[in-house]
């Protein structure tokens, strides 16, 4: 029998069903393989260009057309170490605007990093030519001429001009003092360092350099005073410890010298110079075995330094152009500012890069122009990419803030961020959580903030980042003023928050990164808030509301009544418990205010030999980064 047109045989039906199933499976597979497609696009360097930009300056970031945009991107590349990419962008910026002083200045700095000092001086000359009123350019040109082996008189002319333009800049005075010291104009160098100290009382390099100049004039008492001041500012400044130890040695105080050398070795175990100093002192006092051991360790450390220089791996850099990522960054940053307040420095332009390595980095490239850069250590195809990026985005709210509270908040926002629809998988969020909790410091800060939010709700901690102070004597890093924040909370929340922080404080302090940037301020006055809260609870009890004149157990004139309500009795017992059992716990162990933090670890770059070579020229401190 012939089949009718509207009746399909079973074999046809099976074929149609199988086709539909294949299509559905393919669609599902395609949905799951989307990240792989993104990976392919990323590796091929594809530049998706949406019909509508995800953020207002997206094309200026990913596909610049004007000189200033190329300069901003070049500065960002240079700031995170991509010198090749920075040089290419600076060249484009200069082609588009041959009078762009900022581009010449930036390119000159790249040449300095590449040790092309003559080219650097040529570009510094052009930067000064097109923007002669910028003191930073005169300072940089002076240093460039000095590094290139130019005449010291010419270097001084540049520093003089810089000081004329910016008479309160301590960096200029330090630079001029260094050159004056080389020219044996010792008193002039001391005068400059006095001026620098007047405008910057936190930089340990200034009294260190002045102490060395005092030694040239044989002013040993003044030198000791300056070395002591430098160590008060930066107790682990090994170069100062070595300089003071050598002075003790010259004056015949071997015990004091050995104390300083031992301490220098302890705080800088990978630096061969303290070993050399201690070895010479041990040899001088007849400790031949100790001197031989120090000399041996010195050679081992020097060999390690040379090997490390040879092992430096070439990093790969790539600018992120995926519009989906910039849209995520824009939305996440807007949400973070809504939760925790506006960024300290308005964010006018943000560059996102991929850089091979073990850690991500958030950098303030140009504070005046509001230019920032985030370097991601994982590319956009990895599972936890968006959560990691969410963490870094919160650092943009204050890139100078370096303490456990901001790290915990960053991790919490990262875990609760909202990736694009096709990247929202619970398993990926869990993978991010596992990654955070593998590192003890990040785990403890993350769990602490989770605990605070669970007990106080998000509204309870939303103002935390508004209470910020400079970290001791540091002029680069800030920390949350935890006591000020706690004081702003209602009494009930205040004690809850403080108890939570103290629960994690010991472990956080134990695993705090020792990089000179991070510090941790614990809550002070451990028991006062708890007593205040329990006092309020007792006064709010039903019995006390009925009889406001009723005295409490800790108040003068109290006589135990024959009968008390259950609520009032419980409140009284709580008061007794605090006054009797917890006074010692909360008062005798009260912590002092946070001690001044250490300056940036970058200061260790200045810890050079003061015997075999002149005191190093002061270097510019980088913009803050986290």
């Amino acid at each position: 029998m012939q089949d009718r047109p509207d009746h399909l045989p079973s074999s046809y039906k099976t074929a149609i069903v199988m086709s539909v199933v294949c299509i559905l499976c393919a669609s599902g597979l395609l949905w799951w393989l989307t990240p792989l497609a993104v990976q392919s696009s990323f590796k091929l360097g594809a530049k998706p260009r949406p019909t509508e930009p995800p953020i207002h300056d997206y094309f200026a970031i990913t596909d610049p057309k004007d000189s200033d945009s190329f300069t901003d991107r070049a500065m960002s590349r240079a700031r995170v170490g991509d010198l090749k990419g920075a040089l290419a962008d600076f060249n484009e910026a200069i082609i588009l605007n041959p009078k762009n002083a900022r581009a010449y200045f930036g390119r000159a700095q790249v040449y300095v990093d590449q040790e092309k000092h003559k080219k650097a001086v040529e570009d510094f000359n052009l930067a000064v030519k097109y923007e002669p009123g910028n003191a930073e350019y005169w300072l940089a040109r002076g240093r460039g001429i000095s590094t290139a082996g130019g005449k010291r008189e010419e270097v001084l002319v540049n520093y003089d001009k810089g000081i004329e333009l910016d008479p309160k800049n301590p960096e200029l005075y330090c630079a001029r003092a260094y050159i004056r010291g080389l020219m044996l104009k010792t008193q002039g160098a001391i005068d400059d360092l006095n001026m620098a100290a007047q405008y910057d009382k936190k930089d340990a390099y200034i009294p260190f350099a002045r102490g060395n100049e005092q030694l040239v004039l044989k002013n040993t008492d003044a030198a000791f005073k300056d070395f002591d001041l430098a160590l008060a500012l930066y107790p682990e400044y090994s170069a100062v410890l070595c300089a003071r130890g050598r002075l003790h040695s010259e004056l015949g105080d071997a015990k004091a010298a050995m104390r300083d050398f031992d301490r220098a070795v302890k705080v800088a175990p990978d630096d061969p110079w303290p070993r050399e100093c201690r070895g010479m002192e041990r040899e001088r006092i007849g400790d031949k075995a100790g001197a031989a051991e120090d000399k041996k360790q010195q050679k081992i450390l020097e060999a390690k330094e040379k090997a490390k220089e040879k092992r430096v791996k070439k990093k790969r850099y790539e600018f992120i152009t995926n519009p989906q990522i910039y849209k995520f960054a824009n939305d996440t940053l807007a949400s973070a500012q809504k939760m925790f307040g506006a960024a300290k420095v308005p964010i006018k332009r943000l560059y996102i890069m991929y850089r091979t390595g073990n850690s991500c980095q958030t950098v303030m490239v140009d504070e005046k122009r509001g230019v920032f850069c985030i370097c991601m250590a994982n590319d956009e195809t990895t599972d936890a990419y968006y959560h990691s990026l969410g963490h870094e985005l919160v650092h943009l709210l204050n890139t100078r803030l370096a303490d456990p509270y901001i790290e915990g908040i960053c991790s919490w926002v990262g875990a609760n961020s909202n990736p694009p629809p096709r990247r929202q998988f619970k398993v990926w969020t869990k993978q991010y959580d596992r990654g955070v909790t593998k590192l003890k410091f990040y785990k403890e800060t993350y769990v602490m903030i989770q605990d605070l939010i669970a007990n106080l709700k998000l509204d309870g901690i939303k103002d935390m980042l508004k209470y910020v102070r400079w970290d001791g004597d540091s002029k680069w890093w800030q920390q949350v003023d935890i006591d000020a924040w706690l004081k702003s909370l209602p009494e009930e929340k205040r004690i809850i928050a403080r108890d939570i922080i103290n629960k994690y404080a010991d472990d956080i302090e134990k695993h705090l990164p020792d990089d000179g940037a991070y510090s941790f301020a614990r809550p002070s006055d451990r028991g006062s808030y708890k007593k205040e809260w329990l006092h309020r609870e007792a006064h709010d009890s039903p019995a006390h509301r009925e009889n406001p004149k009723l005295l409490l157990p800790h108040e003068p004139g109290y006589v135990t009544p024959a009968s008390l309500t259950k609520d009032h009795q419980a409140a009284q017992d709580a008061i007794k418990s605090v006054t009797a059992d917890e006074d010692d716990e909360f008062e005798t162990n009260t912590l002092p205010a946070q001690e001044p933090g250490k300056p940036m670890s970058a200061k260790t770059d200045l810890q050079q030999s003061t015997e075999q070579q002149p005191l190093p020229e002061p270097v510019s401190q980088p913009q803050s980064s986290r």
Side-chain angles (χ1 to χ4, degrees):
M1 185 175 111
Q2 201 174 26
D3 289 332
R4 291 178 299 177
D6 61 341
H7 178 77
L8 297 177
S10 59
S11 60
Y12 285 4
K13 290 181 180 179
T14 302
I16 291 172
V17 170
M18 291 299 294
S19 299
V20 171
V21 169
C22 289
I23 291 170
L24 292 174
C25 290
S27 299
L29 182 61
L30 180 63
W31 189 83
W32 278 97
L33 288 178
T34 297
L36 297 179
V38 173
Q39 180 178 12
S40 174
S41 171
F42 177 79
K43 289 186 176 179
L44 292 174
K47 295 183 178 181
R49 190 179 179 95
T51 54
E52 292 186 7
I55 53 176
H56 73 280
D57 56 352
Y58 169 75
F59 294 126
I61 292 169
T62 60
D63 189 16
K65 300 295 185 184
D66 62 276
S67 183
D68 282 340
S69 294
F70 270 110
T71 304
D72 284 340
R73 194 170 76 172
M75 290 288 191
S76 298
R77 288 184 189 271
R79 183 67 179 81
V80 298
D82 182 12
L83 301 184
K84 183 178 178 181
L87 194 59
D89 277 347
F90 281 132
N91 289 338
E92 289 293 334
I94 290 168
I95 290 172
L96 291 171
N97 180 9
K99 295 184 179 181
N100 186 337
R102 199 161 59 96
Y104 286 115
F105 174 68
R107 191 171 70 175
Q109 290 179 314
V110 171
Y111 285 141
V112 169
D113 289 337
Q114 294 178 336
E115 298 186 356
K116 299 176 181 178
H117 300 297
K118 290 185 178 180
K119 282 189 173 183
V121 171
E122 291 173 2
D123 273 355
F124 283 136
N125 289 339
L126 291 168
V128 167
K129 176 182 177 180
Y130 294 121
E131 196 175 334
N134 192 320
E136 185 180 7
Y137 295 173
W138 290 94
L139 171 62
R141 187 169 75 166
R143 284 180 171 155
I145 293 170
S146 177
T147 306
K151 294 181 178 180
R152 290 168 181 167
E153 291 77 12
E154 188 178 354
V155 176
L156 279 180
V157 169
N158 282 271
Y159 294 156
D160 290 343
K161 181 63 176 179
I163 290 172
E164 179 186 329
L165 293 169
D166 188 2
K168 294 184 179 181
N169 187 333
E171 201 172 351
L172 279 160
Y173 288 109
C174 285
R176 192 169 70 176
Y178 173 76
I179 294 299
R180 282 180 166 175
L182 294 179
M183 298 173 71
L184 301 181
K185 297 181 179 181
T186 307
Q187 189 56 51
I190 291 174
D191 292 341
D192 275 341
L193 290 166
N194 287 336
M195 291 298 294
Q198 182 178 336
Y199 297 116
D200 186 352
K201 295 178 172 59
K202 298 179 179 181
D203 191 346
Y205 173 84
I206 296 172
F208 173 39
R210 189 171 57 194
N212 279 280
E213 297 299 334
Q214 297 287 5
L215 287 179
V216 176
L217 299 179
K218 308 297 183 183
N219 295 333
T220 55
D221 289 341
F224 270 128
K225 184 178 178 181
D226 276 330
F227 292 153
D228 291 344
L229 176 57
L231 290 170
L233 292 171
Y234 185 11
E236 296 184 0
Y237 204 158
S238 62
V240 182
L241 288 167
C242 289
R244 192 175 68 176
R246 287 175 53 232
L247 183 53
H248 280 304
S249 177
E250 289 175 10
L251 297 177
D253 191 346
K255 287 185 178 180
M258 285 301 296
R259 278 198 304 269
D260 278 341
F261 293 142
D262 287 342
R263 188 173 159 199
V265 169
K266 183 178 180 180
V267 300
D270 298 327
D271 186 352
W273 174 239
R275 293 278 186 177
E276 183 177 348
C277 290
R278 190 173 68 176
M280 289 188 293
E281 182 62 18
R282 280 177 165 173
E283 188 173 355
R284 191 183 72 82
I285 61 177
D287 182 4
K288 294 183 179 180
E293 177 62 23
D294 274 333
K295 190 172 183 179
K296 177 183 175 182
Q297 292 299 322
Q298 175 197 343
K299 289 182 177 180
I300 291 173
L301 292 172
E302 289 173 345
K304 284 183 178 180
E305 285 186 347
K306 291 180 180 179
K308 187 177 180 180
E309 291 175 2
K310 292 180 180 179
R311 286 199 310 267
V312 174
K313 294 181 180 179
K314 189 174 182 180
K315 291 182 179 291
R316 182 167 72 87
Y317 299 87
E318 189 165 348
F319 249 108
I320 301 298
T321 58
N322 187 339
Q324 182 174 266
I325 291 175
Y326 282 92
K327 178 67 165 61
F328 169 80
N330 192 63
D331 293 346
T332 303
L333 194 53
S335 297
Q337 291 187 96
K338 187 176 181 180
M339 285 188 284
F340 300 107
K344 292 292 183 181
V345 177
I347 304 160
K348 298 178 181 177
R349 184 162 291 180
L350 171 64
Y351 295 91
I352 304 175
M353 292 184 67
Y354 166 69
R355 178 183 66 187
T356 51
N358 297 321
S359 60
C360 302
Q361 183 183 20
T362 300
V363 179
M364 180 164 61
V365 178
D366 190 326
E367 184 172 3
K368 293 180 180 178
R369 293 175 59 83
V371 179
F372 295 82
C373 181
I374 291 177
C375 258
M376 299 297 293
N378 46 349
D379 69 38
E380 58 192 274
T381 65
T382 55
D383 297 348
Y385 178 84
Y386 283 93
H387 298 296
S388 298
L389 178 56
H391 176 113
E392 294 301 317
L393 287 164
V394 182
H395 277 302
L396 292 171
L397 300 183
N398 186 349
T399 56
R400 296 191 187 280
L401 194 55
D403 73 358
Y405 302 107
I406 184 61
E407 288 299 341
I409 289 173
C410 288
S411 297
W412 181 85
V413 172
N416 291 276
S417 57
N418 187 28
R422 292 190 175 183
R423 303 299 297 275
Q424 291 180 3
F425 301 107
K426 289 183 179 179
V427 66
W428 289 2
T429 303
K430 289 180 180 178
Q431 183 172 331
Y432 169 79
D433 283 349
R434 285 196 297 270
V436 171
T437 54
K438 280 182 181 178
L439 303 172
K440 291 183 178 179
F441 171 70
Y442 288 95
K443 173 185 176 180
E444 290 145 5
T445 58
Y446 178 34
V447 175
M448 177 181 70
I449 293 298
Q450 282 183 316
D451 206 346
L452 286 170
I453 291 174
N455 284 273
L456 304 181
K457 308 304 179 187
L458 184 57
D459 283 345
I461 72 161
K462 66 183 178 65
D463 292 332
M464 181 183 283
L465 301 186
K466 295 179 182 178
Y467 296 90
V468 174
R469 66 185 181 190
W470 289 102
D471 179 9
D473 288 328
S474 172
K475 61 179 181 179
W476 302 109
W477 303 113
Q478 296 176 337
Q479 63 179 192
V480 170
D481 188 344
I482 199 64
D483 282 336
W485 173 67
L486 287 170
K487 190 176 180 181
S488 73
L489 297 176
E491 289 170 304
E492 296 87 347
K493 291 185 176 181
R494 186 188 305 166
I495 182 60
I496 292 172
R498 209 187 53 179
D499 283 351
I500 290 172
I501 294 169
N502 282 328
K503 180 168 68 174
Y504 300 99
D506 289 340
D507 287 334
I508 288 174
E509 284 184 340
K510 188 187 302 181
H511 301 117
L512 195 70
D514 186 19
D515 62 357
Y518 283 93
S519 64
F520 178 41
R522 299 173 62 143
S524 58
D525 296 332
R526 285 186 174 190
S528 57
Y529 297 144
K530 190 163 187 177
K531 286 184 181 179
E532 289 172 10
W533 185 34
L534 292 173
H535 179 85
R536 173 64 62 87
E537 278 191 332
H539 275 279
D540 284 344
S541 66
H544 203 277
R545 284 197 295 270
E546 292 174 7
N547 183 7
K549 294 183 180 180
L550 185 67
L551 296 174
L552 297 179
H554 65 289
E555 295 176 327
Y558 170 78
V559 177
T560 305
S563 62
L564 294 171
T565 65
K566 183 178 180 181
D567 288 338
H568 199 178
Q569 181 67 60
Q572 289 177 337
D573 291 341
I575 293 291
K576 289 178 180 178
S577 174
V578 172
T579 56
D581 299 331
E582 298 182 355
D583 276 354
D584 290 339
E585 177 187 351
F586 284 91
E587 290 184 357
T588 59
N589 293 329
T590 297
L591 294 178
Q594 176 71 17
E595 295 180 359
K598 298 178 294 185
M600 285 182 67
S601 57
K603 284 189 184 291
T604 56
D605 295 338
L606 303 177
Q607 299 172 5
Q608 306 290 334
S609 164
T610 55
E611 180 183 44
Q612 298 176 336
Q613 54 185 319
L615 190 70
E617 184 170 5
V619 295
S620 300
Q621 293 283 4
Q623 292 282 358
S624 61
S625 65
R626 284 274 33 85

